[in-house]
Amino acid sequence: MATFSVNNIAIKGISCCVPKNTERNIDLDILTQEEIQKFIDATGVEERRIVTKEICTSDLCCEAAEKLIKDLNWQKEEIEILVFVSQTADYILPVSASILQDRLGLSTNCIAFDVPLGCSGYVYGISIIASMMKATGIKKGLLLAGDTSSKLLSKSDKSTIPLFGDGGSATAFELDEKADNLLFDLGTDGSGYKAIIIPDGGSRNRINEDSLKVVNIEEGISRNSCNLVLDGMDVFGFGISQAPKTVNKLIEKFEIDKEAIDHFVFHQANLMMNKMIVKKLKLPVEKVPYSLKGFGNTSSTTIPLTIVTELKESLTNDNKDLIICGFGVGLSWGTAKIRLDNVMISDLIEI
């Protein structure tokens, strides 16, 4: 069933790591100054953090995890599950989660696996790790979610380069009989899979001699078949339609008092889209934080990154109810109601 609850699992901490390297959209030479200003006004993205060649998503998530473990004063041998949510794994195989288990010095009794989801991945990841911890009795777990989308983009594609940034996160979970139920609504519409896609490089279309040939699609958009393709209009239509539906479905199913929710944190797709979602849901704008301005769309990192950068002061030494919602590549979506009870919000890490 796509709408469900998981009890006795508490979120204990959230940490994020971003690259030090900053790219400002105003400095891009693939857009005119007029185009740049229109883009910034529509998306809200002024600058993005971009990894250097040697840094991978796993590196960002590893730094976030090390910081969070230290801040929580956890013993590493107590962590028995690690889930890595990312579309930019280190290798085709093995899974990055197994590498991270070793890098972090976790026990060999630790369950570790990857989940290759994007924009909805953080919500899906919470549902997966919470469900497994509840089912097995595992007491402590880590969800690592992030992406280095810049590695997938064509530098000559004005439809993607100014939008996407890089980031990684770590979220700590603990078995706790006093914890509020985690509530979920998840869904998928695979008929729209082509809206966000990298055509070549998988088993369906193996890399061949034509895969790396750069093709001019239209003015300002050139890419090869191993670069990310984003159908902006289809994704926009999907987002403004599906995000309000999934939030309302969760609220109605569990009879949630919308007025009692302290913050609504949406996937940071773009400002215009999110403002339309907020308007459809009739939400107070002061309850909806954004991190788009300084980080852009960081895929599965956007929700925890927004919490860390925009809500740290609000959540420190307090109890807050949040509704979080991710939507995009797949096409897929996920909404959750979570309680953050004196949660540890680590300071943002830059590497």
Side-chain angles (χ1 to χ4, degrees), residues 1-61:
M1 189 172 181
T3 308
F4 59 97
S5 67
V6 180
N7 62 357
N8 299 344
I9 304 296
I11 296 174
K12 291 297 184 179
I14 303 173
S15 175
C16 285
C17 178
V18 295
K20 287 181 179 178
N21 181 42
T22 300
E23 285 190 4
R24 302 191 310 161
N25 280 342
I26 200 168
D27 296 330
L28 291 174
D29 56 11
I30 59 172
L31 294 167
T32 66
Q33 288 300 304
E34 183 180 356
E35 286 176 324
I36 289 170
Q37 195 54 56
K38 285 182 178 179
F39 183 89
I40 291 173
D41 291 343
T43 65
V45 182
E46 293 186 10
E47 58 186 35
R48 297 152 290 107
R49 303 298 185 92
I50 304 299
V51 292
T52 52
K53 185 177 181 180
E54 67 274 10
I55 295 177
C56 294
T57 306
S58 61
D59 300 316
L60 299 174
C61 288

Side-chain angles (χ1 to χ4, degrees), residues 51-294:
V51 292
T52 52
K53 185 177 181 180
E54 67 274 10
I55 295 177
C56 294
T57 306
S58 61
D59 300 316
L60 299 174
C61 288
C62 189
E63 291 288 339
E66 289 282 16
K67 171 68 172 170
L68 188 56
I69 292 168
K70 182 179 179 180
D71 287 348
L72 288 168
N73 198 28
W74 275 14
Q75 301 303 307
K76 289 185 175 181
E77 60 269 20
E78 297 176 329
I79 299 168
E80 294 185 288
I81 183 168
L82 184 156
V83 179
F84 179 65
V85 177
S86 181
Q87 296 173 128
T88 46
D90 288 15
Y91 304 102
I92 292 176
L93 59 86
V95 295
S96 297
S98 60
I99 300 169
L100 284 161
Q101 172 270 329
D102 180 61
R103 286 182 64 182
L104 289 168
L106 307 186
S107 165
T108 54
N109 292 321
C110 180
I111 299 166
F113 59 91
D114 287 9
V115 176
L117 280 168
C119 312
S120 64
Y122 187 67
V123 181
Y124 267 79
I126 292 175
S127 74
I128 292 166
I129 197 167
S131 298
M132 288 194 68
M133 288 177 66
K134 173 63 178 176
T136 60
I138 287 173
K139 291 182 173 61
K140 291 183 178 179
L142 284 177
L143 170 65
L144 307 185
D147 267 306
T148 45
S149 299
S150 67
K151 292 177 179 282
L152 310 175
L153 309 180
S154 164
K155 298 293 186 184
S156 301
D157 185 350
K158 67 180 182 182
S159 70
T160 58
I161 280 291
L163 183 61
F164 291 97
D166 302 328
S169 70
T171 305
F173 296 82
E174 189 167 11
L175 195 65
D176 183 351
E177 293 182 358
K178 297 180 180 179
D180 259 32
N181 286 4
L182 297 167
L183 310 177
F184 299 96
D185 178 66
L186 308 176
T188 311
D189 181 6
S191 68
Y193 78 95
K194 290 184 179 180
I196 311 172
I197 191 171
I198 296 175
D200 288 7
S203 296
R204 178 69 60 189
N205 298 316
R206 299 293 298 273
I207 292 179
N208 57 68
E209 60 183 12
D210 293 324
S211 296
L212 299 179
K213 289 181 180 178
V214 177
V215 177
N216 182 39
I217 310 300
E218 60 181 78
E219 186 178 355
I221 301 179
S222 298
R223 58 176 175 253
N224 64 44
S225 295
C226 292
N227 292 140
L228 180 73
V229 179
L230 174 70
D231 187 325
M233 293 305 295
D234 281 358
V235 174
F236 190 91
F238 162 74
I240 62 173
S241 171
Q242 191 57 57
K245 288 179 182 178
T246 178
V247 172
N248 281 328
K249 185 178 177 183
L250 187 81
I251 288 170
E252 292 166 9
K253 170 70 175 180
F254 294 105
E255 299 180 345
I256 297 168
D257 180 1
K258 190 162 73 171
E259 305 300 320
I261 299 298
D262 297 291
H263 303 288
F264 294 81
V265 184
F266 293 94
H267 166 57
Q268 304 292 285
N270 76 59
L271 189 61
M272 183 182 294
M273 181 191 296
N274 285 26
K275 281 186 172 181
M276 291 185 70
I277 293 167
V278 169
K279 185 176 181 180
K280 280 191 171 187
L281 289 167
K282 298 178 180 178
L283 302 178
V285 293
E286 64 271 14
K287 287 189 174 184
V288 185
Y290 293 96
S291 60
L292 278 161
K293 181 178 179 180

